[in-house]
Amino acid sequence: MNWMNLRLARQLRQPASRCFNTSRTYTADHVRIVEVGARDGLQNEKQAISLENKLELIRRLSKTGVTHIEAGSFVPAKWVPQMASTAEILTDLIQKPPVEARPIAYNYLVPNIRGIENLVKIFEQNNHTNPPLQADYPTPPPSPQATPEQTQGQGPITSSHNPNQMSSASNPAVPTSNATGSQSDRNTTEISLFAAATESFSQRNTNCSIAESLHRSLPIIELARKHSVRVRGYVSVALGCPYEGPDVDPHKVAELTASLLEMGCDEVSVADTTGMGTVPKTRKLLQTLKDAGVLMEDVALHFHDTYGQALVNMVVGLEAGVRVFDSSVGGLGGCPYSKGATGNVSTEDTVHLLHSLGCDTGIDLVKMAEVGEWITGVVGKANEGRAGKAMLARMRD
């Protein structure tokens, strides 16, 4: 028996012992995917992408079962031309929200106070408000009784009833929303803000020091709280920097993560922006975070697959207790400030991995694969979602 799968299966069956933060209302074996394709995936594309195609991408993603989607970035168009239509995207999602069974959180990157002021202005123009933020949610119930396959450490890759459906695609433990009110009232708008683990990357990316970037974040968080907007922090280049090399100090990452949480971030996504992370480095970083008092329930992991290590690093994160991962449909993405950094790990490969380990994501892999095939065709890039391509090819046969 594979000891890694056995260990992970045991961890997945353990009920949580603390009150989960914000949106963590699922059972202990649920893994939340944050789909970043519409923002991080498109921001570095050279070919112009129309507003219609961006909105179509978001709407197609909304039908896959994913509940958290990066929708845009309130950055000046001269910095990131692909994000110039973010205001129109937010307005459209408020006025004509996708109608799905569960509420969806749409996230927007804001680099400075002006970014969130523009977001709030759109709220006011559309007479829109987020539902009130809640400090704590009840601890979710224990996971349902494990299947024999999960007990042995390896969940079935496909359903015995439908070979094209993942075994956990319809897990009844994942609740659907029974909230009343319009879809716009049930959906939420969130923001992300940015910090870097090295001074060189901070200067190149935000034109300020790490300390100054944290200082700039304070009024952003304060204004977000006034409007019930959940805040997500990013710590970039956590496992390797294009300017300072592959050996980023994990203690610096832990210090930054703790600072962002203490400042009021609901969650911090620790990002391997360059894809330099390896199993030993990832494991050391996560242990350093724990030693610094950071709870894994408050951490997400964001991997790029530059060196083909994203999925194995994800398993390391699962073993450490992380239950939130960022991924991009079709493997779209790449950092404009990190030469050679390929796209984010694909959502299709991520979901396939998680389902094969007996985790639940609530995501329909076939639908996600179809989105990946469509959007990579639109932008004219190779589809890096290997699991999705294989599944669609098998279905066509």
Side-chain angles (χ1 to χ4, degrees), residues 20-27 30 32 137-141 173-175:
F20 279 9
N21 208 345
T22 54
S23 65
R24 293 183 177 84
T25 59
Y26 298 110
T27 53
H30 181 81
R32 174 158 59 87
Y137 279 76
T139 300
V174 180

Side-chain angles (χ1 to χ4, degrees), residues 293-306:
V294 176
L295 298 175
M296 293 298 98
E297 289 91 339
D298 296 327
V299 170
L301 290 176
H302 179 114
F303 290 114
H304 285 232
D305 207 26
T306 311

Side-chain angles (χ1 to χ4, degrees), residues 57-302:
L57 171 59
I58 293 169
R59 293 185 185 282
R60 291 190 185 208
L61 288 170
S62 300
K63 296 183 181 299
T64 65
V66 69
T67 57
H68 289 70
I69 299 174
E70 282 195 347
S73 177
F74 282 93
V75 296
K78 65 178 181 179
W79 292 359
V80 188
Q82 292 289 9
M83 296 293 105
S85 53
T86 295
E88 289 84 353
I89 290 172
L90 173 57
T91 300
D92 190 271
L93 291 175
I94 290 175
Q95 295 178 350
K96 296 176 290 182
V99 180
E100 302 304 328
R102 287 184 289 175
I104 297 174
Y106 296 104
N107 188 288
Y108 301 86
L109 181 68
V110 295
N112 50 41
I113 190 66
R114 182 173 297 177
I116 191 169
E117 287 173 345
N118 289 337
L119 182 147
V120 169
K121 185 181 299 183
I122 294 171
F123 271 24
E124 294 171 345
Q125 290 171 347
N126 290 275
N127 194 28
H128 176 77
T129 58
N130 262 352
L133 292 174
Q134 293 178 264
D136 285 315
Y137 279 76
T139 300
S143 300
Q145 183 66 36
T147 65
E149 292 89 351
Q150 288 173 317
T151 303
Q152 295 173 10
Q154 175 67 54
I157 293 179
T158 56
S159 167
S160 59
H161 302 291
N162 180 358
N164 294 319
Q165 180 180 351
M166 303 308 292
S167 61
S168 59
S170 58
N171 189 335
V174 180
T176 57
S177 174
N178 59 0
T180 58
S182 71
Q183 186 76 16
S184 180
D185 291 337
R186 294 168 50 218
N187 292 341
T188 55
T189 300
E190 303 180 351
I191 65 165
S192 291
L193 45 84
F194 212 76
T198 68
E199 291 291 350
S200 298
F201 196 85
S202 183
Q203 290 289 349
R204 299 288 186 96
N205 196 30
T206 60
N207 295 312
C208 68
S209 67
I210 295 173
E212 178 62 23
S213 70
L214 291 177
H215 181 72
R216 291 179 182 180
S217 296
L218 286 170
I220 297 175
I221 296 171
E222 182 180 358
L223 185 56
R225 287 296 176 194
K226 288 182 179 178
H227 292 273
S228 298
V229 173
R230 186 173 181 265
V231 181
R232 190 176 207 242
Y234 271 106
V235 176
S236 60
V237 296
L239 288 163
C241 174
Y243 310 112
E244 297 188 17
D247 297 321
V248 175
D249 184 0
H251 297 91
K252 186 65 178 179
V253 178
E255 179 185 350
L256 266 174
T257 303
S259 294
L260 288 168
L261 291 169
E262 289 170 355
M263 289 162 57
C265 287
D266 298 279
E267 172 179 288
V268 175
S269 180
V270 178
D272 183 15
T273 313
T274 60
M276 294 180 183
T278 61
V279 166
K281 288 168 60 177
T282 302
R283 186 173 287 131
K284 182 178 180 180
L285 173 59
L286 293 171
Q287 186 59 53
T288 304
L289 287 166
K290 289 182 178 180
D291 292 343
V294 176
L295 298 175
M296 293 298 98
E297 289 91 339
D298 296 327
V299 170
L301 290 176
H302 179 114

